[in-house]
mmCIF file of all heavy atoms in Angstrom:
data_model
loop_
_atom_site.group_PDB
_atom_site.id
_atom_site.type_symbol
_atom_site.label_atom_id
_atom_site.label_comp_id
_atom_site.label_asym_id
_atom_site.label_seq_id
_atom_site.Cartn_x
_atom_site.Cartn_y
_atom_site.Cartn_z
ATOM 1 N N SER R 76 3.315 -19.777 -14.397
ATOM 2 C CA SER R 76 2.121 -20.012 -15.291
ATOM 3 C C SER R 76 1.233 -18.765 -15.435
ATOM 4 O O SER R 76 0.801 -18.532 -16.501
ATOM 5 C CB SER R 76 1.255 -21.159 -14.668
ATOM 6 O OG SER R 76 0.830 -20.801 -13.409
ATOM 7 N N GLY R 79 1.675 -16.085 -18.203
ATOM 8 C CA GLY R 79 1.180 -16.252 -19.601
ATOM 9 C C GLY R 79 -0.288 -16.337 -19.621
ATOM 10 O O GLY R 79 -0.816 -16.665 -20.723
ATOM 11 N N LEU R 80 -0.985 -15.958 -18.530
ATOM 12 C CA LEU R 80 -2.482 -16.077 -18.532
ATOM 13 C C LEU R 80 -3.142 -14.764 -18.166
ATOM 14 O O LEU R 80 -4.333 -14.653 -17.857
ATOM 15 C CB LEU R 80 -2.951 -17.095 -17.501
ATOM 16 C CG LEU R 80 -2.453 -18.558 -17.840
ATOM 17 C CD1 LEU R 80 -2.671 -19.465 -16.660
ATOM 18 C CD2 LEU R 80 -3.056 -19.108 -19.176
ATOM 19 N N ARG R 90 -7.251 -19.716 -18.649
ATOM 20 C CA ARG R 90 -6.773 -20.877 -17.826
ATOM 21 C C ARG R 90 -5.672 -21.655 -18.570
ATOM 22 O O ARG R 90 -5.550 -21.588 -19.828
ATOM 23 C CB ARG R 90 -7.965 -21.754 -17.721
ATOM 24 C CG ARG R 90 -9.072 -21.185 -16.753
ATOM 25 C CD ARG R 90 -10.098 -22.289 -16.580
ATOM 26 N NE ARG R 90 -11.172 -21.736 -15.669
ATOM 27 C CZ ARG R 90 -12.421 -21.893 -15.880
ATOM 28 N NH1 ARG R 90 -12.941 -22.442 -17.023
ATOM 29 N NH2 ARG R 90 -13.215 -21.208 -15.075
ATOM 30 N N GLY R 91 -4.928 -22.328 -17.797
ATOM 31 C CA GLY R 91 -3.691 -23.071 -18.263
ATOM 32 C C GLY R 91 -3.401 -24.170 -17.341
ATOM 33 O O GLY R 91 -3.984 -24.414 -16.368
ATOM 34 N N MET R 92 -2.364 -24.945 -17.858
ATOM 35 C CA MET R 92 -1.892 -26.008 -17.082
ATOM 36 C C MET R 92 -0.324 -26.200 -17.200
ATOM 37 O O MET R 92 0.128 -25.767 -18.279
ATOM 38 C CB MET R 92 -2.506 -27.326 -17.458
ATOM 39 C CG MET R 92 -2.424 -27.661 -18.921
ATOM 40 S SD MET R 92 -3.601 -28.935 -19.495
ATOM 41 C CE MET R 92 -2.671 -30.373 -19.018
ATOM 42 N N THR R 93 0.362 -26.730 -16.233
ATOM 43 C CA THR R 93 1.801 -26.964 -16.303
ATOM 44 C C THR R 93 2.072 -28.184 -17.049
ATOM 45 O O THR R 93 1.500 -29.172 -16.751
ATOM 46 C CB THR R 93 2.325 -27.025 -14.783
ATOM 47 O OG1 THR R 93 1.945 -25.888 -14.197
ATOM 48 C CG2 THR R 93 3.757 -27.110 -14.886
ATOM 49 N N LEU R 94 2.958 -28.117 -17.970
ATOM 50 C CA LEU R 94 3.493 -29.257 -18.703
ATOM 51 C C LEU R 94 4.806 -29.747 -18.158
ATOM 52 O O LEU R 94 4.974 -30.975 -17.897
ATOM 53 C CB LEU R 94 3.679 -28.919 -20.261
ATOM 54 C CG LEU R 94 2.468 -28.507 -20.996
ATOM 55 C CD1 LEU R 94 2.768 -28.118 -22.422
ATOM 56 C CD2 LEU R 94 1.462 -29.626 -20.951
ATOM 57 N N SER R 95 5.641 -28.834 -17.820
ATOM 58 C CA SER R 95 6.779 -29.318 -17.023
ATOM 59 C C SER R 95 7.344 -28.157 -16.165
ATOM 60 O O SER R 95 6.984 -26.857 -16.520
ATOM 61 C CB SER R 95 7.929 -29.622 -18.102
ATOM 62 O OG SER R 95 8.356 -28.502 -18.772
ATOM 63 N N GLN R 120 0.537 -19.529 -29.264
ATOM 64 C CA GLN R 120 -0.772 -19.285 -28.626
ATOM 65 C C GLN R 120 -1.181 -20.215 -27.737
ATOM 66 O O GLN R 120 -1.916 -19.967 -26.648
ATOM 67 C CB GLN R 120 -1.969 -19.288 -29.776
ATOM 68 C CG GLN R 120 -1.795 -17.954 -30.582
ATOM 69 C CD GLN R 120 -2.946 -18.004 -31.657
ATOM 70 O OE1 GLN R 120 -3.447 -19.014 -32.177
ATOM 71 N NE2 GLN R 120 -3.395 -16.846 -31.988
ATOM 72 N N LYS R 121 -0.811 -21.453 -27.845
ATOM 73 C CA LYS R 121 -1.202 -22.623 -26.966
ATOM 74 C C LYS R 121 -0.187 -22.913 -25.924
ATOM 75 O O LYS R 121 -0.401 -22.977 -24.762
ATOM 76 C CB LYS R 121 -1.477 -23.821 -27.674
ATOM 77 C CG LYS R 121 -2.768 -24.217 -28.220
ATOM 78 C CD LYS R 121 -3.766 -24.397 -27.037
ATOM 79 C CE LYS R 121 -4.847 -25.337 -27.401
ATOM 80 N NZ LYS R 121 -5.934 -25.457 -26.479
ATOM 81 N N THR R 122 1.085 -22.967 -26.260
ATOM 82 C CA THR R 122 2.192 -23.451 -25.301
ATOM 83 C C THR R 122 3.127 -22.292 -25.257
ATOM 84 O O THR R 122 3.488 -21.651 -26.170
ATOM 85 C CB THR R 122 2.915 -24.793 -25.909
ATOM 86 O OG1 THR R 122 1.953 -25.771 -26.125
ATOM 87 C CG2 THR R 122 3.973 -25.087 -24.940
ATOM 88 N N TYR R 123 3.544 -22.031 -23.983
ATOM 89 C CA TYR R 123 4.522 -21.027 -23.678
ATOM 90 C C TYR R 123 5.526 -21.412 -22.645
ATOM 91 O O TYR R 123 5.250 -22.353 -21.886
ATOM 92 C CB TYR R 123 3.789 -19.733 -23.301
ATOM 93 C CG TYR R 123 2.932 -19.724 -22.064
ATOM 94 C CD1 TYR R 123 3.479 -19.275 -20.838
ATOM 95 C CD2 TYR R 123 1.667 -20.338 -22.024
ATOM 96 C CE1 TYR R 123 2.727 -19.395 -19.712
ATOM 97 C CE2 TYR R 123 1.029 -20.295 -20.936
ATOM 98 C CZ TYR R 123 1.433 -19.829 -19.703
ATOM 99 O OH TYR R 123 0.615 -20.006 -18.625
ATOM 100 N N MET R 124 6.681 -20.828 -22.604
ATOM 101 C CA MET R 124 7.767 -21.157 -21.762
ATOM 102 C C MET R 124 7.925 -19.920 -20.884
ATOM 103 O O MET R 124 8.057 -18.769 -21.318
ATOM 104 C CB MET R 124 9.007 -21.496 -22.437
ATOM 105 C CG MET R 124 8.955 -22.814 -23.015
ATOM 106 S SD MET R 124 7.788 -23.146 -24.459
ATOM 107 C CE MET R 124 8.470 -22.035 -25.775
ATOM 108 N N SER R 143 7.264 -25.178 -18.923
ATOM 109 C CA SER R 143 6.439 -25.169 -20.105
ATOM 110 C C SER R 143 4.987 -25.213 -19.657
ATOM 111 O O SER R 143 4.667 -26.038 -18.787
ATOM 112 C CB SER R 143 6.763 -26.286 -20.954
ATOM 113 O OG SER R 143 8.164 -26.254 -21.434
ATOM 114 N N PHE R 144 4.170 -24.415 -20.343
ATOM 115 C CA PHE R 144 2.719 -24.373 -19.875
ATOM 116 C C PHE R 144 1.839 -24.454 -21.228
ATOM 117 O O PHE R 144 2.215 -23.989 -22.199
ATOM 118 C CB PHE R 144 2.482 -23.110 -19.164
ATOM 119 C CG PHE R 144 3.370 -23.012 -17.951
ATOM 120 C CD1 PHE R 144 4.653 -22.472 -18.126
ATOM 121 C CD2 PHE R 144 2.998 -23.505 -16.683
ATOM 122 C CE1 PHE R 144 5.475 -22.337 -17.038
ATOM 123 C CE2 PHE R 144 3.914 -23.414 -15.549
ATOM 124 C CZ PHE R 144 5.123 -22.878 -15.808
ATOM 125 N N ARG R 145 0.560 -24.936 -20.985
ATOM 126 C CA ARG R 145 -0.323 -24.862 -22.036
ATOM 127 C C ARG R 145 -1.653 -24.106 -21.593
ATOM 128 O O ARG R 145 -2.088 -24.394 -20.612
ATOM 129 C CB ARG R 145 -0.775 -26.306 -22.412
ATOM 130 C CG ARG R 145 -1.686 -26.277 -23.707
ATOM 131 C CD ARG R 145 -1.927 -27.788 -24.149
ATOM 132 N NE ARG R 145 -2.757 -28.524 -23.322
ATOM 133 C CZ ARG R 145 -4.146 -28.617 -23.387
ATOM 134 N NH1 ARG R 145 -4.733 -27.744 -24.195
ATOM 135 N NH2 ARG R 145 -4.815 -29.267 -22.448
ATOM 136 N N ARG R 146 -1.930 -23.248 -22.521
ATOM 137 C CA ARG R 146 -3.245 -22.548 -22.305
ATOM 138 C C ARG R 146 -4.362 -23.484 -22.784
ATOM 139 O O ARG R 146 -4.327 -24.097 -23.794
ATOM 140 C CB ARG R 146 -3.366 -21.245 -23.182
ATOM 141 C CG ARG R 146 -2.242 -20.181 -22.761
ATOM 142 C CD ARG R 146 -2.194 -18.907 -23.610
ATOM 143 N NE ARG R 146 -1.265 -18.032 -23.225
ATOM 144 C CZ ARG R 146 -0.064 -17.947 -23.776
ATOM 145 N NH1 ARG R 146 0.104 -18.668 -24.939
ATOM 146 N NH2 ARG R 146 0.859 -17.076 -23.361
ATOM 147 N N ARG R 147 -5.362 -23.467 -21.820
ATOM 148 C CA ARG R 147 -6.611 -24.372 -22.011
ATOM 149 C C ARG R 147 -7.436 -23.791 -23.262
ATOM 150 O O ARG R 147 -7.277 -22.515 -23.556
ATOM 151 C CB ARG R 147 -7.393 -24.536 -20.864
ATOM 152 C CG ARG R 147 -6.580 -25.439 -19.791
ATOM 153 C CD ARG R 147 -7.274 -25.496 -18.518
ATOM 154 N NE ARG R 147 -7.808 -26.627 -18.008
ATOM 155 C CZ ARG R 147 -7.679 -27.905 -18.285
ATOM 156 N NH1 ARG R 147 -6.844 -28.270 -19.099
ATOM 157 N NH2 ARG R 147 -8.521 -28.842 -17.616
ATOM 158 N N SER R 148 -8.198 -24.563 -23.896
ATOM 159 C CA SER R 148 -9.132 -24.146 -24.944
ATOM 160 C C SER R 148 -9.949 -22.899 -24.552
ATOM 161 O O SER R 148 -10.414 -22.880 -23.478
ATOM 162 C CB SER R 148 -10.078 -25.281 -25.322
ATOM 163 O OG SER R 148 -9.355 -26.363 -25.830
ATOM 164 N N SER R 150 -8.445 -19.951 -24.047
ATOM 165 C CA SER R 150 -7.600 -19.064 -23.360
ATOM 166 C C SER R 150 -6.381 -18.653 -24.370
ATOM 167 O O SER R 150 -5.459 -17.994 -23.810
ATOM 168 C CB SER R 150 -6.958 -19.791 -22.251
ATOM 169 O OG SER R 150 -8.014 -20.034 -21.211
ATOM 170 N N GLU R 151 -6.401 -19.074 -25.540
ATOM 171 C CA GLU R 151 -5.351 -18.631 -26.565
ATOM 172 C C GLU R 151 -5.346 -17.147 -26.799
ATOM 173 O O GLU R 151 -4.168 -16.578 -26.842
ATOM 174 C CB GLU R 151 -5.469 -19.402 -27.865
ATOM 175 C CG GLU R 151 -5.500 -20.874 -27.728
ATOM 176 C CD GLU R 151 -6.879 -21.499 -27.570
ATOM 177 O OE1 GLU R 151 -7.861 -20.711 -27.207
ATOM 178 O OE2 GLU R 151 -7.069 -22.738 -27.601
ATOM 179 N N GLY R 163 -13.044 -23.607 -21.997
ATOM 180 C CA GLY R 163 -11.690 -23.701 -21.490
ATOM 181 C C GLY R 163 -11.581 -24.944 -20.472
ATOM 182 O O GLY R 163 -10.580 -25.144 -19.958
ATOM 183 N N ASP R 165 -11.136 -28.187 -20.890
ATOM 184 C CA ASP R 165 -10.816 -29.416 -21.764
ATOM 185 C C ASP R 165 -10.153 -30.416 -20.966
ATOM 186 O O ASP R 165 -9.628 -30.350 -19.986
ATOM 187 C CB ASP R 165 -10.123 -28.984 -23.087
ATOM 188 C CG ASP R 165 -8.858 -28.287 -22.742
ATOM 189 O OD1 ASP R 165 -8.498 -27.891 -21.525
ATOM 190 O OD2 ASP R 165 -8.061 -28.052 -23.717
#
Side-chain angles (χ1 to χ4, degrees):
S76 64
L80 298 173
R90 293 187 176 130
M92 59 194 275
T93 305
L94 299 175
S95 68
Q120 286 186 328
K121 269 289 212 193
T122 304
Y123 61 99
M124 287 67 66
S143 299
F144 305 88
R145 184 173 72 86
R146 294 180 184 101
R147 290 172 106 29
S148 296
S150 296
E151 301 88 350
D165 59 351

